[in-house]
Amino acid sequence: RLSRSLSRLPLSTIRSSARALASSSSGGDPKTGYQVADDFHHGPDRARSNVGGDVGRKMFAYSVLAGTAAIYAASVRNTVVDFVDSMNPSADVLALASIEVDIQKIAEGDTMVAKWRGKPIFIRHRTAAEIEAAKSTALSELKDPQEDAVRVQDPAWLIVLGVCTHLGCVPMVKQGDYDGWFCPCHGSHYDT
């Protein structure tokens, strides 16, 4: 009779029933062979404490992750700041960036040569005739046309970099066609 009643049941029902019988009688899972804990020894209290443990572990993991991210962000910031700071000019370069010259000692019509960043600077105290000649010169006559008002802040003083535009030679003072500067290397003449 039992075999007839079992033959009418679907096969999946028979298997699940057999598993349930085997696990309850032996105390283990027939599929894996491991012992299955019953709710009597490890009941709802154990499950609740496990949930609390999961939250605690998650909070610890998040804290470690946040701390690591903060340390990483700080080290990236320091690296970027150090890199950008390395591009700033050094103290010796900043010291050469500006010079002080007492221009009161330069008489009208004279030129003083000062050194700035390793290059000569011509400081010319122009006469009234030189100022008028510079203002009245037609721009079409000049190789590099530029009005005198653009070249100087105070018309009495002309301050220029004293390097020849051709090869970087230093022109001679109060020489040439315009009584300004003359470069003998290639015959360049500069006005005041």
Side-chain angles (χ1 to χ4, degrees):
R1 276 182 135 182
L2 183 60
S3 63
R4 267 192 209 162
S5 64
L6 287 177
S7 65
R8 291 184 194 148
L9 290 173
L11 188 58
S12 61
T13 308
I14 296 170
R15 285 187 184 149
S16 62
S17 300
R19 268 195 220 120
L21 272 171
S23 92
S24 66
S25 63
S26 67
D29 187 4
K31 240 177 163 182
T32 60
Y34 295 117
Q35 287 292 95
V36 178
D38 58 353
D39 284 344
F40 181 78
H41 294 112
H42 307 287
D45 295 334
R46 169 80 180 216
R48 266 191 234 116
S49 68
N50 224 359
V51 170
D54 285 346
V55 170
R57 279 185 285 191
K58 284 182 183 177
M59 289 304 293
F60 176 74
Y62 291 147
S63 299
V64 168
L65 182 64
T68 304
I71 290 170
Y72 179 73
S75 54
V76 166
R77 179 205 169 272
N78 287 341
T79 302
V80 169
V81 167
D82 290 346
F83 177 71
V84 170
D85 192 40
S86 72
M87 289 188 248
N88 287 334
S90 60
D92 60 337
V93 171
L94 288 174
L96 292 174
S98 62
I99 60 169
E100 290 185 22
V101 177
D102 185 13
I103 60 174
Q104 299 304 321
K105 294 180 179 179
I106 305 171
E108 191 174 293
D110 283 345
T111 302
M112 178 183 180
V113 180
K115 195 171 186 180
W116 175 72
R117 293 187 178 181
K119 298 174 187 158
I121 300 294
F122 296 151
I123 304 169
R124 174 83 174 220
H125 190 178
R126 299 193 296 182
T127 63
E130 290 173 339
I131 296 169
E132 192 55 43
K135 286 182 179 178
S136 63
T137 303
L139 293 179
S140 61
E141 293 179 19
L142 301 176
K143 191 107 168 146
D144 297 314
Q146 188 178 34
E147 292 180 10
D148 191 55
V150 176
R151 297 189 321 161
V152 296
Q153 290 180 358
D154 179 2
W157 298 98
L158 177 66
I159 303 171
V160 293
L161 182 63
V163 177
C164 179
T165 56
H166 188 253
L167 282 178
C169 310
V170 178
M172 298 185 313
V173 178
K174 286 195 165 187
Q175 302 284 320
D177 294 344
Y178 308 107
D179 197 31
W181 296 276
F182 172 69
C183 182
C185 299
H186 296 92
S188 301
H189 297 265
Y190 302 95
D191 67 338
T192 56

